[in-house]
Amino acid sequence: MRNIRNIRDIRNLGILAHVDAGKTTVTERVLYLTGATHKRGEVHDGTTVTDFDPQERDRGITIFAAAVSCDFDGHRINLIDTPGHVDFADEVERSLRVLDGAVAVFDAVAGVEPQSESVWRQADRHGVPRIAFVNKLDRAGADLDAAVASIRRRLGVVPLTVQLPIGREAGFTGVVDLLRMRALVWDGAGGGPVELPVPDDLFDEARRRRRLLEEAVAELHAGALEEFFARSGLSADTLAAALRDITLAGDGVVVLCGSAYRNRGIEPLLAAVVAYLPSPLDVPPVAEDRPADPRAPFAGLVFKVNSTARGRLTYLRVYAGTLRKGDVVLDVGAGRTERVGRIVRVQADRHADTDQAVAGDIVAVAGVKGARPGASLAAPGAPLLLEAPVTADPVVSVAVEARTNADADRLAAALARLAEEDPSLAVRTDPETGQTLLSGMGELHLEVALEKIRRAQRLDAVAGRPRVSYRETVLRGVSGVPYRHVKQDGGPGQFAQVVLDVEGLGPDDGFEFRSTVTGGRVPPEFVRAVAAGCRDALADGPLAGHPVTGLRVTLTDGATHVKDSSEVAFRTAGRLGLRAALRAAGMAVLEPVAELTATVPEDALGAVLGDLAARRAQVTGSQARGDTAVLTATVPLAELFGYASRLRSRTQGRGTFTTRPAGYARVPAGVPQVR
C-alpha cells in the first residue's frame, strides 16, 4: 500500500446497513476491485476478509466491526465494515465516532429496514455525511424507485438519485450515469464497466430523471440555483460540486445502485466516495489548537480493543499530529503514560507494520496495555481529552459460572477481559445470590460473548436463563418533602436540611435536578452535593430495588449549620431525602421493550399473531408484500426469549424477524418480574 502524502486524499468511512443488506459483500468487492485482495470472498462460503471470526463465519453475519484499507484513484480508503444486528449497535456507535463519512447499503427489495433506520439515526447523532447504495438490483422484486421512496419516507431525507438501472431483476446489467449521461455496462466476466451511449429505449427516461436531479439540486444549493436559472440547466461539473456540498452539509443524500454480488456498480460507488464524502480536512478539528495536521501535537481516540494470539491490539483514530513507533503517549483520562511498541495498518485479521501514523489515519498499536475503548491518547506535553462514544446501558443479563471450581478464577479473568474489549458488556456480582452476572444488549450478544470465552479460553462456562434489566419510575410526584440529617458522635458533627419536590418525567427521560433555593439558604457547593446524593439514591428504588429513572428532583429549601454543615452531610441528606420522597410518591416498575418486525407467510399469519398476543405484544402495523406479511409490534423484551425457535416452528422455518430497542414501558399489574 503506497504512502499518502496529502491528508485530503484520505477517506475514513463506514459501511452501514440492516442485517443481510449486503454490507460485507460490498466491502469484499471494494477490496477485490482495488487490488487489496486477489480473490472475491463470499459470505455463504465463509471466505470473506472482514468476517474472519469463526463465529461470524458460522452464523453468516457480521458481529465485530472490522477495519480494512485500500487505494483507489490516488486516495487511501480506510473502511470499517460494521455489524447490522441490533445486539451489536455499540460496535457501530464506536466506529461512527471515529469516521468522517459512511455508505449506507439498502436492499433493493426490502428498502429501509428497521436496523437501517437505527444506524442512520446513529450517524445523524454523530453528524456523519452519507451516500446511499441500493444493492441487490439483480433480485426478483428489486425496485430502485420503491427503495428510494422508502429512504425519503422512513429517513426523512432528500434522496438525490444519480443513476438509472439498465435492465430489471435478473436482466440487470448496468446503470446510466445521469451526471455524464453515459451508460456503464458490466459483461459478467468480472471485469470493469464498459462505457457506452445511453440506450435508445432509456434515453427519454434518463433525460427526464436528469432534469429532476437538476431541479432537486438547485433547490438545495444556492450556486447551482444561479446557474440553473441562467442556463436553464446544470453542467456535470456544477452538479458534482453541488452534490459534494449538499452531502457534506447533510442536506441530501446521493443515491447509487448496483449488485455487489454480481460485481456491478462498485466502481461508480468508489468514485462517489472520493467525490462526495469528506476528507479529514473537511470535518471540524477536535480542538481549535489541534488541527488535522501531522505537525500538530499528537491526539488520538481509541475505539476498539482486541486480544489476539500475538497480544493486545488497540485501534485508534489519529486526529492530529504524528504517532511514531516507540513514542510515549499519555492516556489522558487515566493519567498514565504508555509506550507504543508497534504500529500496524489493519486488514481485518492481517497486519502490516508501519513506522508512523499521521493525522487522518486509522491504525492499531501494540504495547498500550491499559487504554480502553473511548480513551484519549495524546502527546504527554499537550494533553487533550476527546469526547468518548456513548455506551448504551445493558438490558439483558445471565448468570455465568464455571462448570468446575478449578476454572472459576480463569472464568473471572476472561469475563473481565471481555468487558474491557466491549464496553456494552458489564460484569457484576449479585449481592443477594453471589452469582456472577454478565449483562449485554441482547440474547445474541451474550451468546456470542460466552462462545468467545469457550473457544478462546477453552472454558466450559454455564449460563442461566437471560434476565432483563427493570427500572422504577415516578407516576405521582410529591412536594415539600423535608429531610434533616444530624449526626453527632463526639467529633465534628454533620448537619444538613433539605426540602425536595419530586415529579415524574417520561420513562426514557432519565434524571433531572434543579434548585430554586434563594437567599443563600443552601450554598452552591452544597447544592451540588445534594444533586450527587440524589444520583446515589437512584441506584435502587423503593418497590423492588431496581434503578430509578424518569424523574425530576427540585431542591426548594434547606438549612445549614455554621460548623457542622459540609458537602458530605448534604450529599447524605440528598440521598436519604430522595429515598424518603420516593417512598411517599406513586411509583411503578418499567420493563425494556423492543420494536419487532416479522416477515411471515400469509398462511401462518394467524398463528404468529396469536403467539404475539400471548407475549403481551402490541401490533402496530401489518403490510402485505406478495405472499408474505410484514408485521410490526412493540413487545416486552422479557417475552422475546426463545422467540426465534417459536417463530420457526409456527412458520415451518419460513418466518424471520428483527428487533431494536424501543425504550421502557410500564409493567402491567399482575405480571411477575424475574430479578
Side-chain angles (χ1 to χ4, degrees):
M1 185 174 294
R2 72 183 189 89
N3 289 323
I4 298 294
R5 293 186 178 181
N6 193 336
I7 295 176
R8 198 168 294 283
D9 294 333
I10 296 176
R11 298 291 184 273
N12 293 316
L13 66 129
I15 306 292
L16 312 174
H18 186 88
V19 175
D20 203 34
K23 297 182 312 303
T24 301
T25 303
V26 168
T27 304
E28 288 297 318
R29 298 306 184 262
V30 166
L31 294 177
Y32 177 73
L33 176 66
T34 57
T37 60
H38 303 292
K39 183 179 179 181
R40 286 177 288 182
E42 303 294 352
V43 174
H44 56 271
D45 292 335
T47 57
T48 59
V49 172
T50 52
D51 285 355
F52 59 86
D53 187 274
Q55 289 201 71
E56 293 178 309
R57 293 184 170 179
D58 291 348
R59 300 173 188 270
I61 62 171
T62 300
I63 295 173
F64 309 106
V68 293
S69 296
C70 58
D71 294 336
F72 176 78
D73 193 25
H75 293 72
R76 171 172 297 149
I77 297 176
N78 297 319
L79 189 153
I80 298 181
D81 181 21
T82 66
H85 195 285
V86 65
D87 280 17
F88 308 105
D90 195 66
E91 288 271 329
V92 182
E93 186 75 18
R94 284 182 278 128
S95 298
L96 283 169
R97 176 61 184 82
V98 299
L99 294 173
D100 300 324
V103 175
V105 180
F106 300 95
D107 187 316
V109 178
V112 176
E113 298 173 272
Q115 190 61 10
S116 308
E117 190 171 348
S118 294
V119 296
W120 189 274
R121 302 303 177 209
Q122 285 179 281
D124 278 343
R125 289 197 300 273
H126 288 277
V128 173
R130 281 141 283 171
I131 60 176
F133 182 70
V134 178
N135 191 27
K136 302 188 178 184
L137 275 178
D138 59 314
R139 288 184 57 197
D143 189 331
L144 174 63
D145 290 340
V148 170
S150 72
I151 290 173
R152 184 188 299 275
R153 183 179 67 255
R154 295 283 298 274
L155 304 181
V157 298
V158 179
L160 301 167
T161 309
V162 298
Q163 294 176 337
L164 171 66
I166 299 175
R168 290 182 58 85
E169 300 178 348
F172 170 69
T173 58
V175 297
V176 173
D177 175 2
L178 297 178
L179 269 71
R180 308 291 175 186
M181 288 302 287
R182 59 180 179 170
L184 300 174
V185 178
W186 286 264
D187 60 10
V194 177
E195 185 175 331
L196 299 170
V198 178
D200 292 340
D201 60 333
L202 289 177
F203 191 80
D204 289 342
E205 179 64 12
R207 280 180 49 182
R208 184 183 73 85
R209 293 189 180 229
R210 163 63 184 253
R211 185 65 178 180
L212 291 174
L213 176 63
E214 292 175 356
E215 292 172 354
V217 168
E219 287 182 7
L220 298 171
H221 192 276
L225 182 63
E226 274 188 38
E227 182 175 316
F228 184 81
F229 281 126
R231 299 180 47 185
S232 299
L234 298 176
S235 67
D237 290 342
T238 299
L239 261 180
L243 287 170
R244 176 176 173 80
D245 291 343
I246 290 168
T247 300
L248 297 185
D251 295 330
V253 57
V254 173
V255 181
L256 300 97
C257 61
S259 167
Y261 180 71
R262 303 292 179 193
N263 217 38
R264 295 168 187 168
I266 302 302
E267 292 91 344
L269 176 62
L270 280 170
V273 164
V274 169
Y276 306 130
L277 290 181
S279 75
L281 295 178
D282 294 317
V283 298
V286 291
E288 289 185 9
D289 61 343
R290 208 64 62 94
D293 185 340
R295 295 165 295 182
F298 165 71
L301 182 72
V302 175
F303 67 94
K304 184 179 177 69
V305 172
N306 189 27
S307 296
T308 70
R310 299 180 63 184
R312 187 182 195 262
L313 280 180
T314 302
Y315 293 72
L316 60 93
R317 160 74 185 267
V318 181
Y319 280 100
T322 299
L323 179 67
R324 296 178 177 86
K325 179 181 176 182
D327 279 356
V328 174
V329 297
L330 174 68
D331 184 335
V332 181
R336 62 171 175 265
T337 57
E338 307 216 40
R339 185 176 297 277
V340 176
R342 292 171 62 210
I343 303 175
V344 297
R345 297 203 180 279
V346 182
Q347 203 75 344
D349 59 340
R350 300 193 296 274
H351 314 123
D353 283 83
T354 185
D355 291 332
Q356 66 178 33
V358 300
D361 272 338
I362 292 177
V363 295
V365 299
V368 178
K369 299 178 180 178
R372 300 192 62 181
S376 298
L377 302 181
L384 177 65
L385 187 63
L386 301 175
E387 182 183 354
V390 176
T391 300
D393 293 330
V395 294
V396 179
S397 302
V398 291
V400 184
E401 61 182 24
R403 195 174 290 277
T404 65
N405 291 333
D407 287 338
D409 289 342
R410 290 178 59 214
L411 176 61
L415 288 172
R417 190 158 47 247
L418 266 184
E420 181 183 78
E421 293 181 10
D422 184 351
S424 60
L425 288 170
V427 181
R428 64 182 177 89
T429 301
D430 189 314
E432 295 181 4
T433 64
Q435 291 179 303
T436 298
L437 299 180
L438 177 65
S439 304
M441 304 307 297
E443 272 190 287
L444 182 60
H445 190 202
L446 296 178
E447 188 180 315
V448 165
L450 291 172
E451 185 62 23
K452 187 174 182 179
I453 287 180
R454 295 184 185 112
R455 295 191 185 199
Q457 307 295 328
R458 301 187 183 278
L459 274 171
D460 191 4
V462 182
R465 173 180 168 82
R467 298 180 293 180
V468 303
S469 299
Y470 291 93
R471 297 284 186 268
E472 296 181 25
T473 194
V474 175
L475 288 184
R476 185 186 68 256
V478 290
S479 300
V481 178
Y483 188 84
R484 173 180 290 194
H485 172 64
V486 180
K487 184 178 181 182
Q488 200 74 44
D489 53 7
Q494 291 186 19
F495 178 90
Q497 181 171 312
V498 297
V499 180
L500 301 176
D501 289 354
V502 176
E503 58 186 306
L505 302 174
D508 301 314
D509 288 336
F511 168 71
E512 293 181 16
F513 178 88
R514 64 183 182 182
S515 171
T516 59
V517 177
T518 58
R521 292 179 61 80
V522 181
E525 64 271 21
F526 293 165
V527 172
R528 290 192 292 270
V530 174
C534 289
R535 289 189 179 89
D536 295 341
L538 301 178
D540 51 346
L543 295 181
H546 303 305
V548 182
T549 188
L551 74 162
R552 178 187 293 121
V553 177
T554 304
L555 175 64
T556 60
D557 200 359
T560 62
H561 186 276
V562 175
K563 293 184 178 180
D564 293 343
S565 289
S566 64
E567 292 186 22
V568 172
F570 271 91
R571 182 164 186 161
T572 302
R575 183 180 76 252
L576 299 179
L578 180 54
R579 286 182 176 173
L582 292 177
R583 287 193 294 270
M587 302 290 293
V589 176
L590 303 172
E591 62 182 343
V593 295
E595 180 184 298
L596 175 141
T597 302
T599 303
V600 301
E602 279 194 341
D603 56 5
L605 182 59
V608 171
L609 286 172
D611 183 54
L612 286 174
R615 296 173 185 269
R616 300 191 285 123
Q618 293 184 347
V619 176
T620 55
S622 177
Q623 181 181 356
R625 187 181 291 167
D627 58 354
T628 63
V630 179
L631 296 172
T632 55
T634 301
V635 193
L637 190 60
E639 301 288 352
L640 283 175
F641 297 138
Y643 184 66
S645 57
R646 179 62 63 90
L647 182 66
R648 283 195 295 269
S649 67
R650 300 266 177 171
T651 62
Q652 289 76 50
R654 295 175 292 165
T656 61
F657 78 100
T658 59
T659 62
R660 62 173 179 172
Y664 280 81
R666 184 178 176 184
V667 178
V671 174
Q673 305 154 39
V674 180
R675 289 197 63 196

